Amino acid sequence: MGAVSLPKSDGTAVKLVPSESIVDAVKEIATTHPHLVGITAVHADSNIELLYSFDNFRGELRHLRVILPDKQPSIDSISGILLGAYIYEMEVRDMFGVNFNGHPLPNTRLLLPDSYPAGAPPPLLKTVTMDQLMKLLDSVQELQPPSPAIPITGSSRYSAESVVILPFGPYHPALKEPEHFALALEGEKIVEARPRIGYVHRGIEKLAENRTFLQALFLVERVCGICSFHHSWTYTLAAEKLLGITPGARAEYLRTLVAELERIHSHSLWIGLLGYWAGFDSMFMWLWSARERIMKLLEMIAGNRVNKSYITIGGVRADVSDEKLKIVQREIEEFKKEFKKISEAVMSYEPLWERTKNIGSFTAELAISAGAVGPTLRGAGIPYDIRKIEPYGAYPDLSFEVITEKGGDVLSISAVRVKETFESIRIIEQIVEKIPSGNPVPQTFFMGTSKEGEAFARTEPPRGELYYYLRGKVGLRNPYRVKIRTPTLPNLVLAAEALKGYTLADVPLILTMIDPCFSCEDRAIVYVKGMGPLMVKLPRSVPANLSLGCPI
Amino acid sequence: MSSAPLLTSILTIVAGIIFFFLSFLFEWVERKAVARIQKRVGPYFTGPGGIFQPFVDFLKLLSKTEAISKGTELLFYRASPIIGVTLLTYGFLHLPFLSQSPVLNFNGDLLVVFIVFAFTCLSYLMAGLSLRTPFTVVGTGRLIVQYSLYELIFLSSFALIFFQAGSATISDIVQYQMINRPLVLYQPIGFIVAVFSLLAKLEKPPFDLPHAKQEVAAGWMSELSGRTLAYMRLIGNMDYLFSVSLIVTLFLGGGSGPFASQITVLWPIYFLIKALAIALVLSYIEGVAVRVRSILLPMRLGIPLTSLLVVQAVILAIWRMGLW
């Protein structure tokens, strides 16, 4: 059985490509569509279907589809054409057992621990049940003890006297989430960085296949603690496309309101952390105290600060009264004043410039090749914002600017985030004025069955383009396949590349300039020029089953 | 000071106890001031305004289990707090805190300051290198670089004081300031340089590189715990008080002030007020400072401050020559 074409309403073209000619096809498409959105794999009908999605930064998506047999699937790697592709390919290799010929990192794991038995079936295949997987996970530590832990000393290319291997994480004050980087230091200068990820895998994609559409909504919301609403919104957009449901206009406005409040809180959180990483604790304290105002608004609207659980398929779960909208308007004005004062003070502060200007520099070409998204890409001058190129929610009715900065360093990315916060404030002011009346809450929550087909959705969370792919099968209460591609993954490829040559003092700033969310996107490795990506073994102290499961 | 040995002993003990408790007061002042700048309340629960919090922290750490890693050089590990606390207390006794005459003194006792500086740093080094992990090695390395920079600056600025006061004895320098005017009025640049390089000595922002938590976790302190950590923190506090008192003594005329010569009780009070003022200035800089990039440390600490001192020296030389 062939591929199911994407619904026409997406305005997308899917081209079926034989597996031998994938490299040529990608080479051709990359000349016009250089942004690789993701590689989606689906196991269906004894086949593994790979969907390569490309964008030309104007929202004109092109897809390439390859059908592989699920017995010993093999295809050529495209990481020679687009740098960021290797990380997507590793994900597919871990989860579906597809072998990528010519991959720079053969025989290494990205998401699964090294002790995952080589012969064991890949976890996301449909033939692998949850029970089987759990049994495997229970026994995996006895099967094979994890290889020696980091730090790796005596690396043959350096003499032991001149190089210190500094373990950076998984528990380190600069990292808010568990992630390990082994940094080879010559004095203070970084000559090499080797990360290992996979400490917080929770197998959300596999779990989502075993829940109804509505239950999966609450699951995907827990992918991330900062942009939780964007995850549930993107999932809802994909599900609504798949199931043919249209939400009311007021619901779209309320969704946009919560999403923009989330962007403000995420950006002010990050700018505060910028101060923390630069050793400027006061800036951190000031911004986080201002951000508290936004968190209280979110609590007022959705009843919760972090996992808002506000959205549902076909609308939102509660209306917001006019009085509450007035409070939003008033509080956002107060926040604007406060934020303006703080951001003007800190962004013109000479010592902070010294810590951020020309630190972690990267070019726009590198950013495109790595597949970077969001403020990271806009900091290099490319106006790529899903809200503008593929408007969703209430964005078509609202006026706002896509902020870009020239430069491509920590400072330019910070400036993008500061200005975007003001744009978000502007959007919220418009929403409060323009919001239409009506009932945003659907009569009943969606409890029905799926249609045959597939759909994807993209949104613009604070960190950049988020991509969800949903496959439905007739009569099924669950989604057949949920694929999540979060923004940190391609951005981290870029950050790792930007790290080399700088000093230890810059590591926190460079690693975090992309606003990494490792829980969102626990799957990073570093690409070292001329050597290919490097991977480090999983430390012994981490239970193997922690990092097992599906992506996310 | 020609007093009986018994009196000296009593005064030594009194000054030592005062030094011990006052060092916690200064930590409280610093924490409270920085918290104000950062829109926080700071220490809050223990005592009025949380004033006893640093002391309670010390007691709490003393009671904690001490985790000593395998491979620790026990001699270094145990000796470092002893060296630090002893030398700093000894150094403080040479400062005229209680009255115009320090408890201990001898001709040329300004040099004691350098012994204290060197041994304080040595005690940090010994604690840091007693277990060589990546964090302690990098942190201690930064500490040594920083020490070599500020040591030179202090040495030069004290040389200028010696040049003007004509004596390397602390009580003589105080006497000189009481007869003329506090040295800060003659050597304002030297004073600013000394205060600024105190931040490097005390590992405070922007020069908190040796234990910059975002970069090297706790730096040279990474492997310390329990009572050793308590004592190393105490050394940090004592170092703070000692350094601030030194600035007060050398630049602000110690505890001299209106009626101080008639009412002797006023001397320590004036001294304390001046020291607290310096502490507030330091806290303010800490509050608004961004940590220096380690690679730029010589450019930010060594070169500008040294050249400022050269300017001060030239001005001083011209002034003295004009006077003669």
Side-chain angles (χ1 to χ4, degrees), chain A residues 536-547:
Chain A
V536 170
K537 307 277 191 241
L538 194 69
R540 186 178 297 133
S541 55
V542 177
N545 53 0
L546 253 188
S547 59

Side-chain angles (χ1 to χ4, degrees), chain B residues 188-233:
Chain B
I189 303 176
F191 171 71
I192 291 167
V193 167
V195 169
F196 205 66
S197 46
L198 268 193
L199 292 166
K201 165 159 177 50
L202 301 171
E203 298 171 37
K204 301 286 181 197
F207 302 117
D208 56 344
L209 299 158
H211 56 98
K213 63 180 168 183
Q214 292 87 349
E215 294 157 29
V216 290
W220 61 268
M221 296 173 95
S222 296
E223 298 298 327
L224 305 178
S225 63
R227 54 190 172 154
T228 308
L229 179 61
Y231 277 108
M232 293 317 286
R233 279 172 48 89

